[in-house]
Amino acid sequence: MNNKTFPSCGAAMKRNGRTGTGAQRWRCRACGASTVHAYDSDLADFNAFLGWLLSKETQRSMPGDGRTFRRRSKRFWKVWPMPDVVDEVHRVVFVDGIYLDRGLCVLIACTEDHVLSWYLARGETTAAWRALLRTIAPPEVVATDGGSGFASAAAAEWPSAMVQRCTFHAFCQVKRRTTTGPKLLAGVELYGLAKDLFGIRMLHQADLWVERLLGWYDFWNDFLDERTRTDGRWEYTHERLRKARRSLLRLVNEGTLFTYLDSGLTAEGPLPSTNNVIEGGVNAQLRNVLRNHRGLKADRRVKAVYWWCYMHTEAPKGPSEILTSMPTDDDIDVLREFYSGNPVPSMDSVEWGNGLTWSEFHHSAAYPHSTE
């Protein structure tokens, strides 16, 4: 703090008396310009708030046993840090949703380096996914865990993007039905096929794997068609195995399981086969934040996620600009009152009242798919 530099030329400054109000005056040694360095309380309070929110610190460990901290950080809880429209085209985008409570989900999109955008909704519906995707320039490849509603949303908003279904989640779908220790030989073989997904690195290996899956299907088809009469109804005897089989066959038919091996895409470099980037780099970190600050009310849990996402975007704004440009609770209350009395039906966007989406702050205008 004692080694001041002049912002324009970067040269060192020296003390040069005081102003009429008693503030320290500084003069540049190089150009002779004089200025006063004011203490930025907004920056100090903002850094203290984020330092607490994004760490394991408790409020009791803050100044004044937390009372001073709560008073100074109260205004930041009223702010909703919202994402900007992403007009930069990225090669790979990872998407996923994290549930904070029943009927409370935040959809997130990110790259390997930073968070791109996020959207609050009741669940992973097509309308909610479309609201998120239309604010981001379509990438070459999008990696997803196959959450409900995403496929149709991607087809509508990102028709040119190739979809990579996370192979780990594809394996987990099979494991949930067969368990790690299947009793039937058909289940043992299918579980082994699902585990083999992790070792596929070449396109010919993928073709061989598909042949093995189809061979397994033909061999066990009659066995899986067996029915048992239960409570007066005929039901499939091995329904769990049928569901596991169906999950893999659907991905093969859709052509989303081995997008990462497409020769037309890998010419620029390898592609991910999973969405572990967002699972471990974003969702896991968000869960840590919520775990470190257990007891937050629902709206503050949402805002904690928003703050973390915003501070991990490519270029977050400074505290002063955030406080003046981002919407607050009061802004949302005004718009909620206005739109509740003037509902405008739409099939393409999440409507006001469909949950805590507040789409008016999510850039409702569709992003143009064509660029210069």
Side-chain angles (χ1 to χ4, degrees):
M1 295 295 293
N2 294 327
N3 299 323
K4 302 292 186 182
T5 58
F6 193 59
S8 298
C9 62
M13 305 182 73
K14 64 178 182 179
R15 287 183 172 84
N16 188 36
R18 293 185 178 274
T19 65
T21 60
Q24 178 68 58
R25 183 187 290 113
W26 297 81
R27 181 176 296 278
C28 177
R29 294 178 182 271
C31 63
S34 180
T35 185
V36 174
H37 291 278
Y39 176 73
D40 191 345
S41 60
D42 286 344
L43 178 61
D45 293 343
F46 182 75
N47 288 337
F49 170 72
L50 287 183
W52 165 80
L53 184 62
L54 305 182
S55 71
K56 296 182 179 180
E57 293 292 331
T58 63
Q59 292 189 9
R60 186 175 294 276
S61 66
M62 306 302 287
D65 288 336
R67 292 187 296 273
T68 302
F69 169 76
R70 284 191 292 273
R71 184 180 71 253
R72 292 180 176 177
S73 62
K74 183 178 180 180
R75 53 180 167 164
F76 299 116
W77 280 121
K78 297 181 179 180
V79 179
W80 289 89
M82 308 304 288
D84 295 322
V85 171
V86 180
D87 54 4
E88 179 183 357
V89 178
H90 296 274
R91 185 170 181 237
V92 183
V93 170
F94 304 85
V95 298
D96 197 10
I98 179 171
Y99 280 85
L100 309 181
D101 203 342
R102 184 186 294 269
L104 193 60
C105 175
V106 178
L107 309 179
I108 303 174
C110 74
T111 66
E112 293 184 349
D113 303 316
H114 56 271
V115 176
L116 293 175
S117 189
W118 52 95
Y119 193 85
L120 181 62
R122 287 189 181 275
E124 298 182 61
T125 63
T126 299
W129 276 118
R130 291 190 64 178
L132 173 69
L133 299 186
R134 66 166 55 102
T135 65
I136 306 173
E140 291 186 32
V141 178
V142 53
T144 173
D145 63 359
S148 59
F150 178 79
S152 55
E157 300 295 336
W158 291 352
S160 61
M162 301 291 290
V163 177
Q164 170 59 52
R165 179 67 157 81
C166 177
T167 53
F168 176 75
H169 282 85
F171 162 74
C172 289
Q173 278 194 332
V174 174
K175 185 180 70 172
R176 278 197 298 270
R177 272 77 185 223
T178 64
T179 74
T180 57
K183 305 301 182 183
L184 299 174
L185 181 58
V188 172
E189 293 180 359
L190 186 61
Y191 179 70
L193 276 169
K195 287 182 63 177
D196 290 344
L197 284 172
F198 301 132
I200 297 177
R201 298 290 182 269
M202 305 293 290
L203 195 57
H204 72 272
Q205 293 176 319
D207 294 336
L208 180 60
W209 184 89
V210 173
E211 290 181 8
R212 292 171 56 201
L213 177 64
L214 296 179
W216 179 91
Y217 173 87
D218 292 336
F219 185 84
W220 293 104
N221 188 43
D222 293 339
F223 174 74
L224 296 181
D225 283 343
E226 292 179 359
R227 294 172 181 260
T228 302
R229 192 172 183 84
T230 306
D231 297 330
R233 295 186 308 170
W234 288 101
E235 297 179 348
Y236 287 108
T237 307
H238 311 292
E239 179 61 28
R240 293 175 64 86
L241 270 179
R242 289 177 61 88
K243 289 182 178 179
R245 176 187 66 177
R246 188 161 55 246
S247 67
L248 290 179
L249 290 177
R250 183 176 63 253
L251 295 178
V252 171
N253 292 331
E254 292 174 352
T256 59
L257 195 55
F258 300 113
T259 302
Y260 70 100
L261 298 176
D262 190 311
S263 58
L265 298 172
T266 56
E268 299 181 15
L271 292 169
S273 61
T274 69
N275 66 341
N276 289 346
V277 167
I278 193 170
E279 288 285 357
V282 177
N283 288 354
Q285 306 307 315
L286 291 174
R287 292 188 181 96
N288 285 337
V289 169
L290 298 176
R291 187 182 304 111
N292 292 335
H293 304 295
R294 291 185 294 272
L296 291 176
K297 295 184 294 183
D299 62 329
R300 291 198 172 186
R301 290 202 301 272
V302 173
K303 289 176 181 177
V305 170
Y306 270 47
W307 277 117
W308 190 97
C309 289
Y310 185 79
M311 297 311 299
H312 287 81
T313 56
E314 187 173 16
K317 300 175 182 177
S320 298
E321 192 173 1
I322 289 176
L323 293 177
T324 56
S325 63
M326 295 299 180
T328 64
D329 289 340
D330 294 336
D331 299 324
I332 289 176
D333 288 340
V334 170
L335 285 178
R336 175 184 291 172
E337 182 178 356
F338 174 79
Y339 280 98
S340 63
N342 298 275
V344 180
S346 173
M347 296 298 292
D348 296 330
S349 62
V350 177
E351 287 305 312
W352 193 271
N354 275 4
L356 304 176
T357 53
W358 304 314
S359 57
E360 283 66 26
F361 295 114
H362 287 80
H363 309 285
S364 58
Y367 179 84
H369 293 288
S370 58
T371 57
E372 293 295 329

